[in-house]
Amino acid sequence: MRFGLTRSPSPSPVRQSKRSSTFGLQSDSESSSEENHDATESDTESSLSSSSSDSFCYRDESEIPLPPPRPRREFSSPAEQRYVEETLASIRLSIRHHDPYEEWEKQTRKDAFRTARREQRDAQSEHRARHSQRHAQEIARLNRVHEAQLADVQRQLATLQMKQQSDIDKYVQQWKERDRKQRDRIESTIKKEEDSLRARLEAEHRAREEEERKQKEAEEKQRAEEEKKRQEDEAKRKKQQEDDAEAKRLDEIEQKRKEQLQAEEAGRRQMGVTTAEDDWSEARKVLKNLKAGPMKTVKGTKELKSQWSAIRRQITPKIGQLTQDSESVNRITTQITALIQPMSPLPEPIYLASLSSLSKAILLQAETEVTAEKRSAIPLALVTSHFLATLPHFPDVFFAKLVQRAGGWPIPSAVPSRDADGTPWAGEDARTKAMGYRNSGANGERETAGEYVTRVAGLMRVYFLVMVAPTPPDRAPPPRMYQLPRFWAYFARMLGQPRLLETAVAAQVLHVALDVGGAEAVNVWGAQWVKLLELLYEGATKGIAGAGERLIGGQSAEGKAARVRVQLDVERIMQAIQG
């Protein structure tokens, strides 16, 4: 039980928690320390003992100011004085009294507070653990959901890829089938045209025979002979006039072309570009030097000739054994390379003569096999490309032999009236041989125009395949006459020479070139190639430079058939571009 009195004023009060003074009365030390300890232990207990926490405290007893002097009070009676003294004694007794119940209550509150703090701490720890566990479980659940979604997306992607691949395979198969049908249609059209031309030629042949018979009957009459002679003279005169006018016009065009080439000569030399005449002269010079040098030396020496003949006899059958199989191509190229480049190098004359024999074997195989089946040109082109990159001097020798057997068509260029060294030809037969014509038959007669066209086409198919063949990354690029830009230059030169375009050989060679690389050239030259194809199509349908009587291929049977092939090739390429 506590008693409260009115506080006495203090000059400078300082609150402390260790010692306290209650209205100037000294409390029991044990009770005061107990209360201060309880105040530090719990805020709740401090609020309950308001008398201790709200009292003024000092650091030391010496700092406690003396109470002001109390005014002397006069008691009215001895009873009043006694009452005051008893009251003070009761207060002192209450202050010094030690109550066990209060101590037990204070200790109980402290224990309850500690228990509550411990339970709160355990509850918080358990709450944090449950929260962490729920968080981990939620993360694991989200990871499982994400993995399931990822697996589903991957399955869908795999399904789409399989569907896409299936569509691609279907489209490729459809394209192959359409291409096959188109080739069959083209071949059937060409065959029909050839049959029609063949029937027409036979009809014309029969008509000529009938006319010759009539002419023989007319020879018996003098008047008919004189009339016929007059008519022939008149026709010859007109034809001569037309030929002279045409020759004059072509000479003017040729003269302008030569003047333009002369004006551009400096620029061509600077860029390393040559003209058709330069290429033909260079090939002829290589051929003549080969014949006058190594070939003459080898053939004039018995030992060298024997060694060269042994190599040549092995080269020819190996070239004849080529097939479409890549293993066959690799095996034969390896064997021939071992013959021409053995471990101990051959003498230079034998080496060059062997290169000439190898070139001749390839070209003879092209003349015989490619004319019958154009796909047989592929292994020949592969073998040729390999040797062009691996055998020194083979590019020059092969091109010289190609010009020897095909004339000026590999360039293309018309064979001039003089040889490469400026000397005139020994005769018309020598110039005809330089043009690539060969003698056939037992009587040594010159081959027909149809045979010549077919043979040159087989040679040029191999040459064009070598041009458009991709160069493997481990090989050096081939010389310029075998590179892809030469394909464009070939067409540009051909279109610049109307005389060549009017021959049947030109039309057949253009057909071969378009069949080999016409479609792939669009990816290289784009719109410029399309313009060139337009010029070719115009020359095959409307005439060269718009002249309807001067068509590509001329008016011969072989030229007409080749012109139709050129027209169909251009249409096929344009359809592929537009499709």
Side-chain angles (χ1 to χ4, degrees):
M1 180 176 182
R2 296 180 183 277
F3 297 91
L5 297 178
T6 305
R7 292 179 181 178
S8 60
S10 175
S12 59
V14 178
R15 294 182 179 274
Q16 292 291 335
S17 61
K18 292 184 178 180
R19 304 181 66 87
S20 64
S21 175
T22 306
F23 304 105
L25 298 177
Q26 183 67 35
S27 62
D28 186 54
S29 62
E30 183 179 356
S31 174
S32 177
S33 63
E34 201 55 58
E35 289 175 0
N36 291 334
H37 179 72
D38 292 345
T40 59
E41 189 87 10
S42 168
D43 292 338
T44 306
E45 204 163 309
S46 297
S47 63
L48 294 175
S49 41
S50 59
S51 62
S52 297
S53 60
D54 293 337
S55 62
F56 292 102
C57 301
Y58 300 92
R59 293 186 181 88
D60 195 358
E61 291 183 357
S62 61
E63 294 181 1
I64 302 175
L66 296 176
R70 296 181 181 180
R72 298 287 297 180
R73 183 179 177 183
E74 297 292 337
F75 297 102
S76 58
S77 64
E80 182 180 357
Q81 181 178 3
R82 190 170 52 253
Y83 175 75
V84 170
E85 290 175 356
E86 290 176 356
T87 301
L88 290 175
S90 176
I91 291 171
R92 290 190 184 96
L93 180 62
S94 175
I95 292 173
R96 292 183 177 91
H97 177 71
H98 178 73
D99 191 353
Y101 177 78
E102 289 185 7
E103 292 296 329
W104 174 82
E105 186 178 11
K106 287 167 55 179
Q107 184 65 32
T108 302
R109 282 198 298 269
K110 287 193 292 182
D111 294 341
F113 179 75
R114 290 192 188 100
T115 303
R117 288 286 299 273
R118 185 170 59 254
E119 290 178 354
Q120 182 185 15
R121 184 172 60 252
D122 295 342
Q124 288 179 350
S125 299
E126 184 179 358
H127 175 71
R128 283 194 294 269
R130 285 197 302 269
H131 180 73
S132 299
Q133 184 178 5
R134 285 197 300 269
H135 182 68
Q137 291 174 354
E138 182 66 17
I139 290 177
R141 187 186 65 81
L142 291 177
N143 288 335
R144 288 193 299 272
V145 172
H146 292 166
E147 290 176 358
Q149 292 176 349
L150 177 61
D152 186 42
V153 170
Q154 289 177 349
R155 284 194 300 272
Q156 292 181 1
L157 287 177
T159 303
L160 290 176
Q161 290 176 354
M162 291 176 62
K163 185 176 181 301
Q164 182 182 16
Q165 185 63 35
S166 177
D167 293 342
I168 291 174
D169 295 340
K170 181 180 68 175
Y171 292 147
V172 169
Q173 187 65 27
Q174 292 177 356
W175 180 85
K176 289 181 179 179
E177 182 65 20
R178 183 174 58 187
D179 186 64
R180 183 187 64 78
K181 291 180 179 179
Q182 186 176 10
R183 286 198 303 270
D184 294 342
R185 185 174 64 255
I186 292 172
E187 293 296 334
S188 62
T189 303
I190 294 174
K191 187 176 184 303
K192 290 179 181 178
E193 187 67 21
E194 289 177 348
D195 295 339
S196 175
L197 289 174
R198 190 177 298 107
R200 193 183 309 166
L201 288 175
E202 292 176 358
E204 290 176 358
H205 182 66
R206 288 193 299 270
R208 284 196 299 270
E209 291 179 350
E210 183 67 18
E211 187 174 354
E212 289 174 0
R213 185 183 63 80
K214 291 179 180 180
Q215 288 177 1
K216 290 180 181 180
E217 293 177 356
E219 287 177 357
E220 298 175 356
K221 300 179 181 180
Q222 185 65 26
R223 185 177 178 178
E225 291 179 356
E226 293 176 355
E227 183 66 16
K228 182 181 178 181
K229 184 177 180 181
R230 186 184 65 78
Q231 293 176 357
E232 289 178 355
D233 293 339
E234 184 68 16
K236 287 181 180 179
R237 183 179 62 81
K238 292 181 180 181
K239 185 69 169 60
Q240 185 65 32
Q241 291 177 356
E242 294 175 356
D243 292 342
D244 293 340
E246 181 66 18
K248 183 178 180 181
R249 187 182 66 82
L250 294 177
D251 289 337
E252 290 176 357
I253 294 175
E254 186 67 19
Q255 184 64 27
K256 290 181 181 179
R257 190 177 70 85
K258 289 183 179 180
E259 291 175 358
Q260 184 179 1
L261 291 177
Q262 290 177 358
E264 298 172 353
E265 183 177 1
R268 288 197 310 273
R269 289 181 178 177
Q270 185 177 1
M271 297 177 62
V273 179
T274 59
T275 62
E277 291 78 7
D278 296 336
D279 292 342
W280 185 85
S281 298
E282 182 65 23
R284 285 289 298 177
K285 289 178 182 178
V286 172
L287 181 64
K288 296 179 74 172
N289 292 335
L290 184 65
K291 288 184 176 181
M295 296 301 298
K296 185 177 181 180
T297 302
V298 170
K299 291 181 179 179
T301 307
K302 184 177 181 181
E303 293 78 11
L304 297 179
K305 183 178 180 180
S306 176
Q307 188 176 0
W308 167 65
S309 298
I311 296 174
R312 181 185 60 180
R313 285 193 297 270
Q314 295 182 65
I315 289 176
T316 302
K318 292 183 184 301
I319 294 296
Q321 295 170 3
L322 279 173
T323 61
Q324 298 287 335
D325 186 15
S326 59
E327 182 181 356
S328 171
V329 174
N330 295 332
R331 176 175 52 81
I332 291 176
T333 51
T334 303
Q335 292 174 355
I336 294 178
T337 302
L339 287 174
I340 299 179
Q341 286 184 321
M343 297 299 294
S344 57
L346 297 174
E348 185 176 3
I350 296 181
Y351 175 74
L352 295 176
S354 301
L355 294 182
S356 176
S357 300
L358 176 60
S359 302
K360 184 177 180 180
I362 294 174
L363 297 175
L364 287 175
Q365 188 71 12
E367 291 177 355
T368 56
E369 293 291 335
V370 178
T371 54
E373 177 56 50
K374 61 182 181 182
R375 288 182 299 179
S376 60
I378 298 176
L380 288 174
L382 294 176
V383 169
T384 304
S385 300
H386 178 81
F387 291 145
L388 290 174
T390 56
L391 297 179
H393 306 298
F394 181 75
D396 295 333
V397 174
F398 181 80
F399 193 73
K401 298 294 290 185
L402 180 62
V403 171
Q404 179 189 14
R405 302 198 67 83
W409 294 109
I411 295 174
S413 173
V415 176
S417 58
R418 291 179 176 270
D419 203 347
D421 54 1
T423 59
W425 299 103
E428 188 62 26
D429 292 338
R431 187 171 182 270
T432 302
K433 186 177 181 180
M435 294 171 64
Y437 283 95
R438 293 291 176 264
N439 295 331
S440 61
N443 299 328
E445 298 176 353
R446 195 176 75 175
E447 60 185 347
T448 62
E451 294 172 346
Y452 178 73
V453 170
T454 304
R455 186 172 57 81
V456 172
L459 295 173
M460 294 304 296
R461 182 175 290 275
V462 175
Y463 181 49
F464 288 132
L465 283 172
V466 172
M467 281 188 198
V468 301
T471 303
D474 57 341
R475 292 184 187 175
R480 58 180 177 81
M481 70 279 292
Y482 303 101
Q483 295 179 3
L484 185 58
R486 187 76 173 193
F487 192 80
W488 171 273
Y490 192 91
F491 278 85
R493 288 179 178 179
M494 184 72 80
L495 290 173
Q497 301 186 61
R499 285 184 177 179
L500 292 180
L501 284 175
E502 293 184 52
T503 61
V505 185
Q508 184 65 22
V509 171
L510 289 175
H511 156 66
V512 171
L514 292 175
D515 186 48
V516 170
E520 289 77 5
V522 179
N523 301 326
V524 181
W525 294 290
Q528 297 299 323
W529 181 252
V530 174
K531 293 180 181 179
L532 188 144
L533 292 179
E534 292 175 355
L535 291 176
L536 280 179
Y537 194 79
E538 181 180 358
T541 55
K542 299 180 181 180
I544 302 171
E549 69 280 359
R550 299 175 56 235
L551 297 170
I552 292 177
Q555 299 301 323
S556 64
E558 294 82 3
K560 291 179 181 179
R563 180 168 61 249
V564 172
R565 294 189 181 96
V566 172
Q567 181 179 348
L568 293 175
D569 286 335
V570 175
E571 292 176 353
R572 173 179 57 83
I573 295 171
M574 294 304 297
Q575 288 177 359
I577 295 174
Q578 296 173 359

